[in-house]
C-alpha cells in the first residue's frame, strides 16, 4: 500500500444554478482541480465520480463516460467510474480514488462529485431523496427524508438532554460559518428565533433544521505521496479512509438515534491513522439535518451521547472553539448537492490545512470528514493531515 | 411504485405477513428471505403478525412528496410489533395525541395512489388502542 496525497481541489459555487447544466458544473469543478494541481488532462489515469441520482434529476445515466467526454478526455479513453451511495456518493468516490492510488494500479486520479437537483420541482426532489432510504418499506408508508431524521430527533430528545434551542444553535453556527465561505449557498447569518419561527417540516424539525436542495460539483486530484511534490508545495496526506454499512431502513437499526456505521467507520479511521480524538483539529460532518450533526459528533466519539447539544451551545464547535465543526457552513449553509457533498468536505479540509480559508481559518494540522448515505446505511470517514 | 412491485407484496402489506427463521426463532417484518443471524443455515417460513405493537418514535409529516401531500399533516411512526420486529407506518390519530410508548393496532387502509387513474396502494396503518403506554 502506498501513501496517498491530495494535490489539487476545485469546487463550484453551491446554490441554484439555473443557467448551468449537470455537465457544466462538473467541468467547472474538474478544471479548477486540475489547474490547482498543475496537472494536464493527459496525465490522468482515471476518474471516479460520485453521483446519487442523475437518472431522476436530469434523466441521464452513464455518468462516468459523460463526464470523461465533456472533460475533454474521450480521446484518451480514460477509465471513468460512477459510484453511488446516496448522499455519501462523493465520499465513496474519494475513497475509490484513494484505494486505486494506494494499490499502485493508478497514479494520477480525479475524484469528483456532482449533483444537479433544481431541474425538477421540490415535490419530485423530496421523493428522489426518499430513495436513499427503503422505498418499499419506508417510502411506501409516506416516510420523507426529513421525516426519518425527525424520528431520530424525537427518539434522541426522549432519551437524552437536548433542548430545542441547542438543536437550533447547530443551524445558527453553520450559517455563521457559511457567511464566511465564498462558495456557500447561504451567506446570511440567522438567529435562534429564525430557526424556531420557521415552518414545521416534520416535528420537531423545522425548515431551518434542514439542508437545502442544491446544485454543485467538487473535484480533487489524488496522487501517490512520493510524487506529490511534483504538483504542489503543500500536499495534504490521506491518513485514513474508512467505510461502513448498516441496515437500509431506520426501523431495523440496533438503536434509532445512534448511527452504528458512523461509530464503526470512525473507529476504523482512528485505528488506520493511529490517532486519537485529541489529535483532530477540525471536523466536517454530515449535517443534512441539525440532529445529524449532534449524532455525528457523539457517534464519532468526540463526546458522550447526550453532550453534543451543550457543546454546540457553549461554542465548542464554532470557529475559534476547541473543536470546530463544519467550518464550510456544513450541508445546512454551504448547501447539499448530494453527490458532491463528500468531495466538498475534503476540499474544505484541504483548504483549512493549507491555511487558505480566510476568515474561516482555524489552527489545524489534521482534519476529519464524515459523509453519510441515507439515514446511516453508508458512512465514509476520512482523516487528512499535513 | 410500479404495479408489479406493489402486487408482489400484497399479502405482506394487506395482512401484515412477514417471515420467521425457524432455526433461531427470530421474526421479520418487513419480510426477509435470509436470516441475518443464521444466514444459509436459517430456515424461513411465513408468519402472520398479530398487529399489536408500541410506538418507538414518531413524527408529524407536514411537507410530503406529491403522492402524500393530500394527507398532510399525518403521523408517521416506527412501531415495534409485540413479536419483536419494527416497521415504519402511519398512525391514524390527531397529531397532538401521538406519543412515544403509545399502544397501537394494525388496520387495513388506503395509503396512496399512483395518480388519478393508477393503482391504489392499500396497506397497514395503525390506530391507538386502550392500554398503558410502554416505554421500551
Amino acid at each position: 500500500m502506498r501513501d496517498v496525497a491530495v494535490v489539487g481541489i476545485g469546487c463550484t459555487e453551491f446554490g441554484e444554478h439555473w443557467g448551468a447544466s449537470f455537465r457544466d458544473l462538473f467541468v467547472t469543478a474538474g478544471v479548477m482541480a486540475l489547474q490547482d494541481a498543475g496537472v494536464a488532462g493527459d496525465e490522468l489515469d482515471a476518474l471516479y465520480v460520485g453521483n446519487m441520482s442523475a437518472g431522476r434529476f436530469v434523466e441521464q445515466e452513464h455518468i462516468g463516460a459523460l463526464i470523461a467526454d465533456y472533460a475533454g478526455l474521450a480521446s484518451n479513453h480514460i477509465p471513468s467510474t460512477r459510484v453511488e451511495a446516496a448522499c455519501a456518493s462523493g465520499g465513496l468516490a474519494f475513497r475509490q480514488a484513494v484505494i486505486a492510488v494506494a494499490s499502485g494500479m493508478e497514479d494520477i486520479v480525479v475524484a469528483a462529485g456532482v449533483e444537479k437537483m433544481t431541474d425538477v420541482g421540490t415535490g419530485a426532489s423530496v421523493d428522489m431523496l426518499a430513495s436513499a432510504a427503503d422505498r418499499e418499506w419506508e417510502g411506501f408508508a409516506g416516510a420523507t427524508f426529513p421525516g426519518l431524521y425527525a424520528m431520530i430527533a424525537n427518539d434522541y430528545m426522549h432519551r437524552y438532554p437536548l433542548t430545542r434551542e441547542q438543536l437550533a444553535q447547530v443551524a445558527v453556527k453553520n450559517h455563521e460559518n457559511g457567511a464566511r465561505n465564498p462558495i456557500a449557498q447561504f451567506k446570511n447569518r440567522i438567529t435562534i428565533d429564525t430557526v424556531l419561527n420557521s415552518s414545521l417540516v416534520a416535528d420537531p424539525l423545522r425548515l431551518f433544521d434542514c439542508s437545502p436542495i442544491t446544485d454543485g460539483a467538487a473535484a480533487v486530484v489524488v496522487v501517490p505521496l512520493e510524487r506529490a511534490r511534483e504538483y504542489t508545495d503543500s500536499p495534504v496526506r490521506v491518513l485514513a479512509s474508512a467505510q461502513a454499512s448498516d441496515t437500509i431502513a431506520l426501523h431495523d437499526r440496533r438503536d434509532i438515534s445512534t448511527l452504528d456505521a458512523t461509530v464503526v467507520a470512525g473507529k476504523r479511521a482512528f485505528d488506520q491513522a493511529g490517532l486519537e480524538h485529541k489529535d483532530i483539529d477540525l471536523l466536517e460532518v454530515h449535517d443534512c439535518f441539525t440532529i445529524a450533526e449532534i449524532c455525528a459528533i457523539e457517534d464519532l466519539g468526540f463526546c458522550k451521547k447526550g453532550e453534543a447539544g451543550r457543546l454546540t451551545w457553549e461554542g465548542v464547535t464554532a470557529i475559534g472553539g476547541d473543536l470546530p465543526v463544519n467550518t464550510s457552513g456544513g450541508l445546512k449553509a454551504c448547501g447539499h448537492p448530494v453527490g458532491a457533498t463528500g468531495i466538498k468536505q475534503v476540499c474544505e479540509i484541504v483548504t483549512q490545512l493549507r491555511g487558505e480559508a480566510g476568515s474561516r481559518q482555524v489552527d489545524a494540522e489534521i482534519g476529519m470528514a464524515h459523509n453519510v448515505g441515507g439515514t446511516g446505511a453508508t458512512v465514509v470517514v476520512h482523516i487528512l493531515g499535513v | 411504485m410500479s404495479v408489479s412491485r406493489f402486487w408482489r407484496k400484497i399479502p405482506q402489506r394487506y395482512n401484515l405477513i412477514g417471515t420467521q427463521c425457524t432455526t433461531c426463532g427470530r421474526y421479520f417484518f418487513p419480510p426477509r428471505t435470509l436470516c441475518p443471524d443464521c444466514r444459509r443455515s436459517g430456515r424461513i417460513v411465513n408468519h402472520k403478525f398479530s398487529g399489536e405493537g408500541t410506538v418507538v418514535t414518531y413524527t408529524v409529516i407536514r411537507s410530503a412528496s406529491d403522492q402524500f401531500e393530500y394527507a398532510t399533516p399525518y403521523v408517521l411512526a416506527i412501531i415495534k410489533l409485540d413479536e419483536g420486529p419494527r416497521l415504519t407506518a402511519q398512525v391514524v390519530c390527531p397529531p397532538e395525541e401521538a406519543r412515544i410508548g403509545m399502544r397501537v393496532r394494525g388496520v387495513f387502509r388506503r395509503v396512496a395512489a399512483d395518480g388519478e387513474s393508477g393503482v391504489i396502494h392499500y396497506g397497514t396503518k395503525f390506530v391507538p388502542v386502550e392500554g398503558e403506554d410502554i416505554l421500551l
Side-chain angles (χ1 to χ4, degrees):
Chain A
M1 290 279 281
R2 300 190 294 180
D3 283 331
V4 177
V6 179
V7 295
I9 57 172
C11 201
T12 67
E13 279 191 40
F14 279 14
E16 296 185 10
H17 287 280
W18 298 105
S21 70
F22 179 94
R23 64 190 78 179
D24 296 338
L25 291 168
F26 167 80
V27 170
T28 302
V31 167
M32 285 167 81
L34 292 185
Q35 195 137 7
D36 185 45
V39 172
D42 290 340
E43 293 177 80
L44 292 184
D45 291 319
L47 288 171
Y48 292 90
V49 59
N51 170 259
M52 175 180 168
S53 199
R56 295 190 65 203
F57 284 120
V58 294
E59 295 171 352
Q60 174 75 54
E61 305 289 11
H62 208 170
I63 297 305
L66 175 85
I67 62 159
D69 182 4
Y70 276 78
L73 299 168
S75 55
N76 295 38
H77 307 292
I78 187 172
S80 180
T81 308
R82 172 192 182 179
V83 295
E84 188 271 327
C87 342
S89 299
L92 215 63
F94 183 69
R95 188 160 189 271
Q96 294 304 308
V98 169
I99 290 170
V101 174
S103 75
M105 281 282 283
E106 290 158 0
D107 274 345
I108 315 296
V109 176
V110 164
V114 53
E115 210 77 49
K116 172 77 190 169
M117 300 172 75
T118 61
D119 279 359
V120 296
T122 305
S125 47
V126 165
D127 185 59
M128 284 170 207
L129 292 171
S131 67
D134 187 340
R135 171 71 66 180
E136 267 182 31
W137 299 105
E138 290 178 311
F140 177 84
T144 60
F145 226 69
L148 292 167
Y149 272 91
M151 292 200 289
I152 293 175
N154 262 340
D155 179 69
Y156 185 101
M157 293 170 98
H158 186 71
R159 295 160 60 191
Y160 304 109
L162 174 71
T163 66
R164 196 35 273 221
E165 288 74 16
Q166 288 171 341
L167 195 57
Q169 183 60 31
V170 173
V172 173
K173 183 263 298 176
N174 286 343
H175 271 257
E176 173 61 42
N177 297 354
R180 308 181 194 190
N181 187 352
I183 68 152
Q185 182 167 7
F186 298 123
K187 300 184 180 78
N188 58 319
R189 290 175 173 83
I190 59 169
T191 64
I192 296 284
D193 282 340
T194 315
V195 182
L196 299 187
N197 293 331
S198 64
S199 55
L200 274 166
V201 175
D203 308 19
L205 301 180
R206 294 174 178 271
L207 186 63
F208 274 78
D209 288 296
C210 309
S211 55
I213 287 165
T214 312
D215 302 330
V220 297
V221 182
V222 179
V223 304
L225 181 63
E226 69 250 22
R227 292 191 56 189
R229 296 277 168 188
E230 295 171 32
Y231 301 100
T232 179
D233 297 333
S234 51
V236 171
R237 290 182 57 186
V238 181
L239 303 174
S241 174
Q243 185 184 335
S245 61
D246 201 342
T247 63
I248 185 81
L250 181 63
H251 53 233
D252 281 329
R253 301 280 162 77
R254 180 190 61 85
D255 180 318
I256 300 289
S257 49
T258 301
L259 278 68
D260 280 347
T262 294
V263 175
V264 171
K267 190 176 177 312
R268 285 175 184 163
F270 277 113
D271 289 349
Q272 276 180 35
L275 294 169
E276 296 171 13
H277 290 85
K278 62 171 172 52
D279 300 319
I280 304 292
D281 302 315
L282 88 148
L283 261 181
E284 282 284 308
V285 303
H286 197 93
D287 61 312
C288 45
F289 301 92
T290 46
I291 187 65
E293 177 163 330
I294 298 288
C295 288
I297 293 165
E298 295 168 353
D299 296 342
L300 288 168
F302 287 93
C303 63
K304 286 201 183 71
K305 214 68 197 163
E307 290 181 349
R310 179 179 56 80
L311 295 181
T312 303
W313 189 255
E314 290 171 354
V316 173
T317 59
I319 291 172
D322 287 344
L323 181 68
V325 177
N326 285 334
T327 52
S328 67
L331 284 57
K332 172 67 196 78
C334 191
H336 184 29
V338 282
T341 284
I343 301 287
K344 178 223 74 180
Q345 293 177 325
V346 173
C347 290
E348 174 69 10
I349 288 172
V350 170
T351 303
Q352 289 278 0
L353 298 187
R354 287 175 175 179
E356 296 170 355
S359 62
R360 306 194 308 288
Q361 189 63 50
V362 298
D363 184 18
E365 289 179 356
I366 296 176
M368 177 183 264
H370 161 264
N371 190 198
V372 177
T375 53
T378 299
V379 173
V380 189
V381 174
H382 285 96
I383 302 177
L384 303 161
V386 285
Chain B
M1 184 176 284
S2 69
V3 174
S4 57
R5 199 174 174 191
F6 175 69
W7 169 85
R8 269 198 299 273
K9 289 282 183 285
I10 279 179
Q12 290 79 3
R13 294 196 189 285
Y14 286 14
N15 300 315
L16 218 57
I17 291 172
T19 52
Q20 185 188 17
C21 172
T22 55
T23 305
C24 67
R26 190 171 157 190
Y27 293 100
F28 304 107
F29 196 95
R32 287 180 184 266
T33 53
L34 186 74
C35 173
D37 294 333
C38 307
R39 302 201 179 111
R40 279 176 296 167
S41 53
R43 207 178 140 268
I44 299 287
V45 298
N46 281 341
H47 176 83
K48 185 176 187 330
F49 288 89
S50 71
E52 304 271 322
T54 305
V55 171
V56 177
T57 181
Y58 72 94
T59 181
V60 182
I61 306 273
R62 297 176 190 272
S63 173
S65 66
D66 296 344
Q67 207 175 34
F68 286 92
E69 200 53 54
Y70 81 96
T72 57
Y74 56 92
V75 177
L76 184 81
I78 290 178
I79 293 152
K80 186 177 168 74
L81 298 172
D82 287 351
E83 294 90 339
R86 292 186 304 215
L87 59 92
T88 301
Q90 288 180 36
V91 178
V92 187
C93 74
E96 59 277 9
E97 287 177 23
R99 62 196 184 275
I100 290 172
M102 78 192 288
R103 293 286 292 161
V104 292
R105 174 175 55 84
V107 289
F108 179 80
R109 289 284 189 278
R110 176 185 166 127
V111 178
D114 275 334
E116 287 289 304
S117 53
V119 168
I120 296 173
H121 295 157
Y122 294 96
T124 305
K125 291 185 185 177
F126 286 75
V127 293
V129 293
E130 290 297 308
E132 288 288 301
D133 284 11
I134 300 177
L135 292 180
L136 297 164

